[in-house]
Amino acid sequence: MKKLAFLFLFPALAVFGQKVPVKEHFLSNGMKVLLVERHDAPSVSGGWVARVGSANERPGITGIAHLFEHMMFKGTPTIGTKDYQKDLQIIAAQEKVRDGMRAEERKMRAMWRRGEITDLQDPDQKTKRWKELEKEFKKLVEEHRKVIVKNEFDRIYTANGGSSMNAYTSYDHTAYFITVPSNKLELFMWMESGRLLDPVFREFYAERDVVFEERRMRTESTPTGKFTESFNSLFWESHPYSWPIIGWPSDIPAISKAQADEFYATYYAPQNLTLILVGDFQSKGALAQAEKYFGRIKKGKDEAPDVVTLEMPQKAEKRFFAEAEINPNVDIYYHTPAFGHKDTFALRVLAQVLHTRTGRLHKKLVLKDKLATDTWAWTRGRKYAGEFNIGAEIAEGRTLEETEEALYAQLEKLKNEPVPAKEVQKVKNNFAAAEYRRLSSNHPILMAIMRAEGTSGWRAINESGPKLQAVTPADIQRVAKKYFTRENRAVAIYKRKPGTGGGGDPLLAGLTGEQKAMARKIKASITAEKDLTKLKEQLKGLEGRLEQAGTKAPPLMKVVRDILRKRISEMEKKK
């Protein structure tokens, strides 16, 4: 009866067996095309995947894959410029000046090694000749701005009903996507093939500086950004996953346009790309248009090189200690297999047994033992290797040591006692329901296919569901014993940095000044609220949003959750 009720709520699971009807084709130049016809609405979500990410980089050019995500929006000979010939002349002149600047930068690196200068990014420590060349380069930049048409790529799409245009870079692939009206599919074909056929990397060095600033804002200016980056390099010993997607700060300013051109020729050739369309179109006509436009792109001379450096098996536990402007927490990582490995499905079910507000960690460490204010568990299989993360934010008055041991106790329980079948089935049902919601419209389907295609192949979107449903309690017990060993883990311990306790309120530790001010206003409002039922409803809604956000949840949301919990606890004690 319960099964029938579930299928009634999610009929697509019963009728289609969670299969996405993908049709695979190849163009004459070797480019893969994936088509999913869905005639629910007159729109098409389209995009393409380049099977290249930060793992394909090398020391010296880390961050170049992410830089390309920015550069691919700069236009073509017909988009983004008022005068293409002038465009080319200025770009050539800029490169000549940059050659001279690179020669000076080589000298400065030697000076840094000798201790003659202390900071390669400090403008005051640049050589006299470099400063002269920089002035000359800035004049060329100003001249270039007169012929550049900013954001024309985006404006053309927007004027024709396009929406959700964006891109992302991962460790293993880069993806570009947009949704357009069905009658603008040919415009999509022309636009997207154009920036692959003949891209013009305008403002290359200015965009490089934008990426450097993005790195500063996201990594160096956040409470744990720089520590997370260091810990990641500790965790990944030999694999390219050890460097950040955005790149090392010494590499980003050193990447040249010549290196970018070489990278593009290697990894953006048609045989390393996949075009994906989901929505209201006829496959025969769409495939003909794909051949007409994307078929123009010349096939690359060679196949893109594979990543051959594997992660070395870890020999001993690694521990990382840091003081940061956050509440104390313990963050534990274990090495796990690559995406698609048979064990990853049991690990995903295992992670959900521990995670969420109804999971074991929250029930035991937060609600029962009051050791933590927050807990988490998740696993991710990347293309070449994977990771499993479990952790907790320490409750006031409790210690890091006892909370860390409590986390290990939960893992030991999974090794020693099979998870009850009912508990496993609940997790499986949640996976199936989430999958149904995620694959209910064009854009989420496109994103799912892109991620699968860029990691192991698009067929994973249809194969993962049944494999998750086939996981048994014995599978969970087996992978727990196999991967959750001391020598296979790296542990990050974060203590609150002295003098950063949130201005007298430990709940506010780790927030910026602006966030603290906002949190205090919210706290005053919560404290003034006398309706316990209303506060509980607010907490329930907030915890739901936090659960959906996962590790990307803003710190302020967590602080508000803790304020609500504390207020509710105080009111319940007074009853």
Side-chain angles (χ1 to χ4, degrees):
M1 189 60 149
K2 289 182 179 178
K3 184 178 180 182
L4 288 174
F6 180 74
L7 294 178
F8 177 76
L9 289 171
F10 303 105
L13 300 183
V15 178
F16 299 110
Q18 201 74 357
K19 296 288 185 182
V20 178
V22 180
K23 297 178 182 177
E24 181 183 77
H25 305 273
F26 288 89
L27 302 182
S28 57
N29 56 10
M31 186 174 184
K32 188 188 293 186
V33 180
L34 303 177
L35 304 177
V36 181
E37 285 189 42
R38 298 182 81 254
H39 303 288
D40 298 359
S43 66
V44 177
S45 290
W48 48 277
V49 173
R51 290 184 285 281
V52 57
S54 62
N56 301 89
E57 300 163 350
R58 56 175 171 77
I61 60 167
T62 63
I64 195 170
H66 174 252
L67 178 60
F68 259 95
E69 178 195 323
H70 289 243
M71 295 311 304
M72 291 305 294
F73 291 91
K74 294 300 179 180
T76 67
T78 56
I79 298 174
T81 184
K82 299 173 185 175
D83 186 339
Y84 179 53
Q85 292 306 315
K86 185 71 173 176
D87 221 355
L88 294 179
Q89 292 171 12
I90 295 172
I91 290 173
Q94 287 177 339
E95 278 305 297
K96 187 174 181 180
V97 174
R98 277 288 169 177
D99 284 340
M101 294 175 74
R102 278 189 284 272
E104 292 301 306
E105 287 162 1
R106 188 183 184 93
K107 294 177 184 178
M108 287 187 284
R109 283 191 289 271
M111 293 168 66
W112 177 84
R113 291 194 296 270
R114 293 192 297 267
E116 295 170 12
I117 59 176
T118 58
D119 186 353
L120 290 169
Q121 305 306 324
D122 184 357
D124 295 334
Q125 298 188 50
K126 304 288 188 183
T127 64
K128 180 181 178 181
R129 178 56 180 157
W130 190 94
K131 292 176 182 177
E132 292 171 349
L133 289 167
E134 185 191 33
K135 289 180 181 178
E136 188 177 341
F137 184 79
K138 285 182 176 179
K139 290 179 182 177
L140 288 169
V141 169
E142 289 303 315
E143 188 179 349
H144 203 194
R145 284 175 178 164
K146 296 175 183 177
V147 298
I148 288 175
V149 181
K150 295 284 286 185
N151 302 318
E152 188 173 20
F153 202 86
D154 179 55
R155 289 207 301 271
I156 292 172
Y157 267 134
T158 302
N160 286 276
S163 62
S164 303
M165 184 175 77
N166 213 329
Y168 68 85
T169 307
S170 77
Y171 288 98
D172 301 312
H173 66 280
T174 310
Y176 304 81
F177 50 90
I178 190 170
T179 295
V180 297
S182 301
N183 61 359
K184 298 298 180 181
L185 180 57
E186 188 164 10
L187 174 69
F188 167 88
M189 298 285 193
W190 177 73
M191 293 273 286
E192 298 303 315
S193 65
R195 62 170 163 173
L196 283 166
L197 175 69
D198 204 357
V200 180
F201 299 143
R202 301 179 178 93
E203 301 180 293
F204 178 82
Y205 296 101
E207 203 63 35
R208 199 183 64 176
D209 293 341
V210 168
V211 171
F212 191 87
E213 179 63 17
E214 181 183 337
R215 179 198 153 77
R216 190 187 70 80
M217 292 294 293
R218 290 187 179 183
T219 302
E220 297 168 10
S221 298
T222 59
T224 60
K226 54 186 178 290
F227 297 125
T228 301
E229 191 174 79
S230 294
F231 179 74
N232 186 67
S233 292
L234 174 74
F235 182 71
W236 297 106
E237 196 165 310
S238 56
H239 199 274
Y241 289 152
S242 63
W243 54 70
I245 292 172
I246 204 164
W248 292 122
S250 56
D251 288 356
I252 298 168
I255 297 171
S256 69
K257 185 176 177 298
Q259 289 172 323
D261 290 338
E262 180 185 3
F263 190 85
Y264 179 82
T266 302
Y267 293 105
Y268 278 71
Q271 64 268 36
N272 205 47
L273 306 175
T274 300
L275 172 66
I276 306 165
L277 300 177
V278 181
D280 186 26
F281 59 85
Q282 297 299 323
S283 292
K284 184 177 180 180
L287 190 61
Q289 288 183 348
E291 181 64 48
K292 175 182 176 181
Y293 290 101
F294 287 92
R296 301 177 295 167
I297 306 166
K298 188 177 179 181
K299 186 175 182 177
K301 294 181 180 179
D302 301 302
E303 294 297 317
D306 196 12
V307 174
V308 297
T309 303
L310 301 178
E311 179 64 12
M312 293 290 291
Q314 192 168 301
K315 304 298 191 297
E317 180 188 51
K318 300 175 183 177
R319 295 188 73 84
F320 179 92
F321 296 90
E323 290 184 342
E325 297 176 11
I326 59 169
N327 289 325
N329 70 74
V330 56
D331 213 12
I332 306 164
Y333 279 74
Y334 292 89
H335 290 282
T336 55
F339 185 92
H341 187 283
K342 63 179 183 179
D343 288 350
T344 59
F345 303 100
L347 286 164
R348 286 177 63 186
V349 174
L350 186 157
Q352 287 302 103
V353 167
L354 296 172
H355 189 54
T356 77
R357 287 176 296 142
T358 59
R360 292 186 175 191
L361 294 182
H362 185 79
K363 286 181 178 179
K364 177 66 173 171
L365 276 70
V366 178
L367 300 180
K368 184 178 180 181
D369 294 344
K370 312 295 184 185
L371 286 168
T373 57
D374 191 19
T375 57
W376 55 88
W378 57 269
T379 187
R380 173 172 55 188
R382 300 177 187 173
K383 186 173 183 177
Y384 302 101
E387 59 199 326
F388 185 99
N389 175 222
I390 182 173
E393 184 181 275
I394 314 305
E396 195 71 22
R398 307 311 292 259
T399 69
L400 285 157
E401 291 78 12
E402 63 181 333
T403 307
E404 182 180 354
E405 287 305 315
L407 290 168
Y408 296 142
Q410 288 299 309
L411 297 182
E412 288 302 313
K413 186 176 181 180
L414 289 169
K415 294 179 187 179
N416 299 324
E417 302 174 18
V419 179
K422 185 177 180 181
E423 192 175 356
V424 174
Q425 190 58 52
K426 178 184 174 183
V427 169
K428 291 179 181 180
N429 291 348
N430 289 339
F431 270 121
E435 190 73 3
Y436 170 75
R437 289 190 294 268
R438 188 166 61 92
L439 301 181
S440 60
S441 60
N442 293 345
H443 182 72
I445 293 173
L446 171 68
M447 299 305 292
I449 295 174
M450 291 179 112
R451 291 191 183 98
E453 177 66 11
T455 307
S456 70
W458 65 265
R459 288 176 176 81
I461 62 168
N462 288 330
E463 295 171 352
S464 294
K467 289 179 180 179
L468 283 168
Q469 296 300 318
V471 170
T472 66
D475 292 328
I476 295 173
Q477 193 171 20
R478 176 180 57 80
V479 296
K481 291 178 179 179
K482 183 176 181 179
Y483 298 106
F484 299 150
T485 63
R486 182 169 185 171
E487 62 272 15
N488 192 42
R489 75 187 181 215
V491 184
I493 300 294
Y494 293 97
K495 294 185 177 181
R496 186 181 298 139
K497 189 175 181 180
T500 60
D505 189 341
L507 287 176
L508 308 188
L511 298 183
T512 65
E514 183 180 352
Q515 288 172 334
K516 286 176 182 176
M518 188 179 299
R520 289 190 182 100
K521 289 181 180 178
I522 295 171
K523 184 179 180 181
S525 175
I526 291 171
T527 303
E529 180 58 61
K530 305 300 182 184
D531 189 336
L532 182 59
T533 302
K534 186 175 180 180
L535 289 174
K536 287 183 175 180
E537 288 175 353
Q538 290 176 354
L539 177 60
K540 184 179 179 181
L542 182 59
E543 286 180 331
R545 293 194 294 276
L546 279 165
E547 190 174 313
Q548 289 181 341
T551 56
K552 296 181 180 179
L556 183 58
M557 285 179 69
K558 294 183 178 181
V559 169
V560 175
R561 175 205 59 199
D562 294 342
I563 293 171
L564 279 165
R565 284 178 178 172
K566 187 176 181 181
R567 176 60 176 156
I568 290 169
S569 177
E570 290 171 349
M571 292 178 70
E572 286 179 335
K573 287 178 182 178
K574 291 178 180 179
K575 277 188 172 183

